[in-house]
Amino acid sequence: MTFTVVQKIKGKHYLYECTGEWDSEKKQCRQKRVYIGPCDEDGNLLPEKKRLVIKESRTFGQYHLLKELAEQSGIADSLEKAFGKSDAERILAVAMLRISCPKTLRNIKNQIEETFAAELLGAEDDLTSQYLSGFLSRVGKKENAIAAYSKSMMKDDRTVILDMTSFGSSSKLFEMLEYGDDYRRTKLPQVSFSLAHSLDRDMPVYYKLCQGSIADKSTLKGMVTDLKDLGAPSSHAIMDRGFYSPSNISFMFEEGLGFTIPMPFGLKTAKELISESNKHLDDPVCCRMIGGSLVHIWETVSEPVEGKISRTIVFLDENSMNDQRNILFARITDFEKRMSGAKWHPGIFKELVKNRADRPLLKMFDIGRGKDGMVSAERKRNAMSFELNKCGKIIILTTSDDPAEDVLAAYRLKNEIEKLFETFKDELEGGISYLSSENSARGMIFAEFVAVTLHYVLASRLRTAGLGRNVWIPDIISLLNKLKITYMNDRWRLNEVSKKQREMYEALGVPIPAAHDYIGFKPLS
């Protein structure tokens, strides 16, 4: 005989199937139960709970961060105004991927499928390498939209023109590639790249590409014209020592272009200023704490070109001075070891100088042939004293009326941007090598520029939070890469945000993602 039994256990009801069986040993009837499932008090089975079916898990944390920074900084809004919502989402998706894990477009589909970037931005297209190559080609043709993006980012900001750089490429698509000044070093044709940076927003806002063979003065003049057309009320050029020459200085004075440029130490005027500055820099009244280092400041004037007097500032950074002196004497010691026990011969100088950095060392030694036929070397006191005296110092010529501390901060800004663009140049070659046309390459360069701008915004947030010395962007990407979003039972569910991830979002001024924000996102097809 078979029947069902409802049993109540800790307030819940469970249904069992019972079968009566005769126990021949004990000479009595016994019940054998088989569990059926949970039920109500009347024995009606409750609906079976749906099992958790996990379809896939994607990286989420860093893309939430980058999307929020793009919106807060105005990058997302400017892209949408210039390109429209759909194209803006695609450009931003490519830029975010270039920051998180730069790869060639050939491998980008697999990368996108591992992330939640496209869902966050609402980019619904199948972002394959073929599709993106065609899309970037369309972007590259939209010169007016690219200009509109910069105009929207710039508004009425004060801008600085950062020094022209160049990058080489083996791509055969780019008609702007020409053999320029860097050909001897890279053996590759070059593209010149100039950048404008907003002082008010503290981020790059415009770039310009030119043929590698065009003179720096022509490129600079073109940048000034472009920025005026885009509505920048004023521009100021921040150049490096390589641009310093009497003709270039005269050109900037004649064009009425404000500038900040360091003076090369090899000039007679620079040597005189270095020597004269010592007695002034010792004055404690001249000392300031800048960027965590004690900096001595002496202001004077000089005449870089005939008839033109320029404000001249000598800075001495004590941290840099100590570092540079340690490096200098480490090189001197290594150089002396190489000369010790070496046999003299006509080609000894080429043998001693292993690279360009060793050439200045020759000026610090009186090198000759000893009586025993070995290399004889004696330190030159004056030459070595001058090299020591240079350590930690920089001489800046400027037309700016800003306080000396702000002049130094603006010049250091150029160095920070240059470090980012060194990475930009390396990654860009990988990005454009497999593209199908020059327009695709132009589109990729624009997407890379957006990525570098977003990268700089993140770096600036790090500095503001006081984390710049302890944490760098790869550390943040690695930390947030562990935050996943999982697709379960036809909906997205955000994994738990760890304490360290919460603290990082808060330090960078980004809202902590909440699980319920993503439940309604479009399901997977």
Side-chain angles (χ1 to χ4, degrees), residues 2 9 54 98 182 212 215-216 235 239 256 303 384 451 518:
T2 301
I9 302 174
I54 299 176
R98 298 297 288 173
D182 277 352
D216 286 347
S235 298
M239 318 303 287
E303 189 175 2
M384 204 165 284
Y518 306 98

Side-chain angles (χ1 to χ4, degrees), residues 294-309:
L294 181 62
V295 178
H296 304 254
I297 304 170
W298 173 53
E299 290 204 39
T300 184
V301 294
S302 63
E303 189 175 2
V305 293
E306 188 175 353
K308 299 293 184 182
I309 303 300

Side-chain angles (χ1 to χ4, degrees), residues 461-523:
R461 292 287 180 98
L462 274 176
R463 289 192 300 273
T464 302
L467 300 173
R469 294 188 176 185
N470 302 318
V471 180
W472 192 228
I473 290 172
D475 303 318
I476 297 174
I477 298 298
S478 177
L479 172 65
L480 299 182
N481 187 58
K482 298 171 185 176
L483 178 57
K484 309 287 185 182
I485 191 166
T486 305
Y487 193 71
M488 295 188 299
N489 297 343
D490 299 327
R491 63 176 56 185
W492 290 103
R493 298 174 186 269
L494 185 65
N495 295 7
E496 184 179 357
V497 184
S498 71
K499 180 182 178 182
K500 286 186 177 180
Q501 290 164 348
R502 288 176 178 276
E503 290 173 347
M504 183 57 69
Y505 281 130
E506 289 173 350
L508 297 173
V510 169
I512 298 169
H516 58 76
D517 292 340
Y518 306 98
I519 289 176
F521 270 57
K522 186 177 179 180

Side-chain angles (χ1 to χ4, degrees), residues 256-311:
L257 175 63
F259 64 86
T260 295
I261 186 169
M263 182 184 291
F265 288 123
L267 298 177
K268 181 181 178 182
T269 303
K271 293 177 180 178
E272 292 172 350
L273 286 169
I274 288 292
S275 298
E276 187 181 351
S277 67
N278 290 333
K279 60 185 177 183
H280 299 283
L281 294 174
D282 285 338
D283 187 349
V285 176
C286 301
C287 299
R288 302 286 186 276
M289 286 299 297
I290 303 176
S293 178
L294 181 62
V295 178
H296 304 254
I297 304 170
W298 173 53
E299 290 204 39
T300 184
V301 294
S302 63
E303 189 175 2
V305 293
E306 188 175 353
K308 299 293 184 182
I309 303 300
S310 175
R311 180 187 181 192

Side-chain angles (χ1 to χ4, degrees), residues 367-379:
I367 303 173
R369 178 173 182 171
K371 294 180 181 179
D372 56 357
M374 308 301 283
V375 172
S376 171
E378 185 177 344
R379 292 183 180 185

Side-chain angles (χ1 to χ4, degrees), residues 269-438:
T269 303
K271 293 177 180 178
E272 292 172 350
L273 286 169
I274 288 292
S275 298
E276 187 181 351
S277 67
N278 290 333
K279 60 185 177 183
H280 299 283
L281 294 174
D282 285 338
D283 187 349
V285 176
C286 301
C287 299
R288 302 286 186 276
M289 286 299 297
I290 303 176
S293 178
L294 181 62
V295 178
H296 304 254
I297 304 170
W298 173 53
E299 290 204 39
T300 184
V301 294
S302 63
E303 189 175 2
V305 293
E306 188 175 353
K308 299 293 184 182
I309 303 300
S310 175
R311 180 187 181 192
T312 305
I313 312 172
V314 181
F315 296 94
L316 170 62
D317 185 316
E318 291 207 355
N319 285 355
S320 296
M321 178 185 69
N322 293 329
D323 291 342
Q324 290 174 20
R325 286 186 171 182
N326 288 336
I327 292 170
L328 174 63
F329 271 94
R331 289 172 50 211
I332 288 172
T333 302
D334 179 65
F335 195 65
E336 288 175 328
K337 286 180 181 179
R338 274 184 263 158
M339 291 188 289
S340 177
K343 190 174 181 179
W344 174 266
H345 59 84
I348 188 64
F349 291 103
K350 288 185 178 180
E351 187 178 300
L352 292 172
V353 178
K354 291 185 175 181
N355 51 56
R356 294 178 64 181
D358 286 340
R359 291 177 187 173
L361 297 174
L362 292 174
K363 299 178 182 179
M364 298 183 226
F365 290 90
D366 188 3
I367 303 173
R369 178 173 182 171
K371 294 180 181 179
D372 56 357
M374 308 301 283
V375 172
S376 171
E378 185 177 344
R379 292 183 180 185
K380 294 181 179 178
R381 184 184 301 276
N382 290 341
M384 204 165 284
S385 295
F386 179 71
E387 291 298 322
L388 275 173
N389 205 12
K390 286 192 323 186
C391 292
K393 289 181 181 175
I394 184 171
I395 306 171
I396 290 183
L397 269 64
T398 185
T399 58
S400 172
D401 295 326
D402 292 339
E405 297 94 319
D406 293 344
V407 172
L408 181 60
Y411 181 73
R412 286 178 171 176
L413 168 69
K414 184 185 83 70
N415 294 334
E416 292 176 13
I417 294 292
E418 278 187 346
K419 289 177 183 177
L420 284 179
F421 274 83
E422 284 301 317
T423 305
F424 165 81
K425 290 189 288 185
D426 293 340
E427 293 174 357
L428 189 56
E429 172 60 11
I432 68 175
S433 294
Y434 301 102
L435 294 173
S436 58
S437 68
E438 180 173 348

Side-chain angles (χ1 to χ4, degrees), residues 6 14 36 90 174 214 245 328 343 357-358 371 469:
V6 175
Y14 300 94
I36 297 175
R90 299 184 189 101
F174 222 24
I214 292 180
S245 71
L328 174 63
K343 190 174 181 179
D358 286 340
K371 294 180 181 179
R469 294 188 176 185

